[in-house]
Amino acid sequence: MKFPSKFSLKDIANLIQCEYVGDPNFEVLGMNEIHVVEPGDIVFVDHPKYYNKALESAATIVLINKKVDCPEGKALLISDDPFRDFNKLTDHFKPFQASETSIARSAKIAESSIIQPNCFIGHNVVIGEHCIIHSNVSIYDDAVIGDHVTIHSGTVLGANAFYYKKRPEGFDRLKSGGRVVIKDHVDIGAACTIDRGVSGDTIIGEGSKLDNQIQIGHDTVLGKKCLIASQVGIAGCVVIEDEVTIWGQVGCTSGITIGEKAVVQAQSGISKSLAGGKIYFGYPAEEVRVKLKELAAIRQIPKILDILKLKKL
């Protein structure tokens, strides 16, 4: 998420009322999660296990809960609770705005597109040419939809990321200030849910087709010409490369990559990154030939046990 203008390190420290290490005029351009940070961005870290990853990332401002050596060319914001203060920055730069109408006045919708009754379209949404948005679709603030996109009834674009920190009093939500971006020639079925990014974008690539009842988590990037069948659940921060096919009821963990032209067969569970150009099946998902051999071997276990019993006799 980029800020509307440049800010100084001192400005940001004053906003969240914390100490800082570095030039007071050090340039701050935005804030992001670690997998999408760029120079000028703030990244937060609140566990020693991840200090080095944050300090060595592309981010040039690190919001951290301990005073450590500051890498050259970077700056630190020292906070007793970086998670809380990252939320403060989201609230400041991307505050929630209540809607007064079902289609926000700030939404930009091409004249050639059709919006069916009972849709909700939030602030600053952009909808391109020749789209059809069927009834009862909800498109939250800041979503960007390209040309020739079809979205069927009951779909929700832009709900909050499922991202929580456990505290003694309960779960604290990491607030979402990112977007959903739908590229050209995408079809989205009925009752799908695509969450917005925490600070970046959740992206559905050009020409991809989604069946009904699919969940796509925050900051996930789906490539071009992918096919996703019904009841697939994809967690946050997943990269799915071009022309991947995922059949029904597949579950996918967060933070992994599925390579180009991979095929994942129905009811599989993806627990790690998968190379492209192969067919996968099972839980955990493995190459289908390997998995089928494994299942065939398992079927032989009763026979093997019978043979062992006979030998004992």
Side-chain angles (χ1 to χ4, degrees):
M1 179 170 65
K2 297 302 179 187
F3 297 154
S5 60
K6 295 178 183 179
F7 287 79
S8 71
L9 182 67
K10 186 178 179 180
D11 291 334
I12 300 299
N14 287 339
L15 274 176
I16 58 177
Q17 298 181 326
C18 75
E19 295 180 60
Y20 61 88
V21 175
D23 182 350
N25 297 314
F26 194 92
E27 190 172 81
V28 186
L29 304 178
M31 54 189 283
N32 258 315
E33 289 186 275
I34 195 160
H35 61 286
V36 288
V37 287
E38 299 174 342
D41 283 346
I42 301 168
V43 68
F44 85 90
V45 61
D46 57 6
H47 194 289
K49 181 178 177 180
Y50 303 109
Y51 283 174
N52 286 342
K53 186 176 181 181
L55 292 164
E56 294 167 8
S57 71
T60 43
I61 305 95
V62 180
L63 177 59
I64 190 169
N65 58 344
K66 182 180 179 181
K67 191 172 284 189
V68 296
D69 292 337
C70 183
E72 187 177 350
K74 300 194 176 190
L76 304 178
L77 293 161
I78 313 299
S79 164
D80 65 320
D81 192 336
F83 189 101
R84 177 201 65 209
D85 287 339
F86 201 78
N87 273 343
K88 282 184 181 179
L89 292 172
T90 300
D91 276 338
H92 180 84
F93 289 105
K94 189 60 70 172
F96 174 75
Q97 293 179 272
S99 294
E100 299 175 351
T101 59
S102 58
I103 299 179
R105 296 181 182 87
S106 58
K108 297 178 181 178
I109 304 170
E111 290 186 9
S112 60
S113 288
I114 297 169
I115 310 297
Q116 294 283 72
N118 299 323
C119 287
F120 170 78
I121 298 174
H123 302 290
N124 308 312
V125 169
V126 176
I127 299 176
E129 301 283 351
H130 305 290
C131 295
I132 301 176
I133 312 298
H134 287 277
S135 60
N136 301 311
V137 169
S138 294
I139 303 175
Y140 289 19
D141 296 358
D142 304 311
V144 178
I145 296 170
D147 301 332
H148 301 278
V149 172
T150 300
I151 304 176
H152 286 277
S153 296
T155 284
V156 178
L157 304 185
N160 289 330
F162 189 73
Y163 193 142
Y164 292 86
K165 183 179 181 68
K166 189 174 183 179
R167 299 190 187 274
E169 64 275 15
F171 292 101
D172 194 3
R173 177 169 60 85
L174 187 63
K175 297 184 178 181
S176 300
R179 307 184 301 174
V180 170
V181 177
I182 310 295
K183 301 290 188 178
D184 298 345
H185 300 285
V186 169
D187 292 344
I188 300 175
C192 293
T193 51
I194 303 176
D195 294 343
R196 71 194 303 169
V198 169
S199 50
D201 295 335
T202 304
I203 300 172
I204 308 299
E206 182 177 351
S208 288
K209 311 298 180 184
L210 278 62
D211 197 359
N212 304 322
Q213 296 181 326
I214 290 167
Q215 154 68 14
I216 296 181
H218 69 92
D219 295 287
T220 283
V221 177
L222 183 67
K224 297 178 181 178
K225 298 180 183 177
C226 293
L227 287 174
I228 313 292
S230 65
Q231 298 182 8
V232 166
I234 299 169
C237 304
V238 174
V239 176
I240 300 174
E241 296 181 350
D242 297 345
E243 298 184 51
V244 168
T245 300
I246 303 178
W247 293 115
Q249 296 187 331
V250 169
C252 178
T253 193
S254 62
I256 64 167
T257 297
I258 302 174
E260 184 175 353
K261 296 184 179 179
V263 177
V264 184
Q265 295 186 341
Q267 294 193 327
S268 296
I270 306 171
S271 60
K272 61 182 180 181
S273 292
L274 303 178
K278 297 178 181 179
I279 301 173
Y280 297 92
F281 170 68
Y283 179 80
E286 296 180 77
E287 279 193 73
V288 68
R289 288 175 297 176
V290 173
K291 204 68 177 180
L292 291 176
K293 285 180 181 178
E294 179 185 297
L295 292 173
I298 289 170
R299 290 192 194 101
Q300 299 305 312
I301 290 174
K303 292 181 182 179
I304 294 168
L305 291 174
D306 287 341
I307 291 168
L308 291 172
K309 286 177 184 176
L310 288 171
K311 283 186 176 182
K312 285 183 179 180
L313 293 172

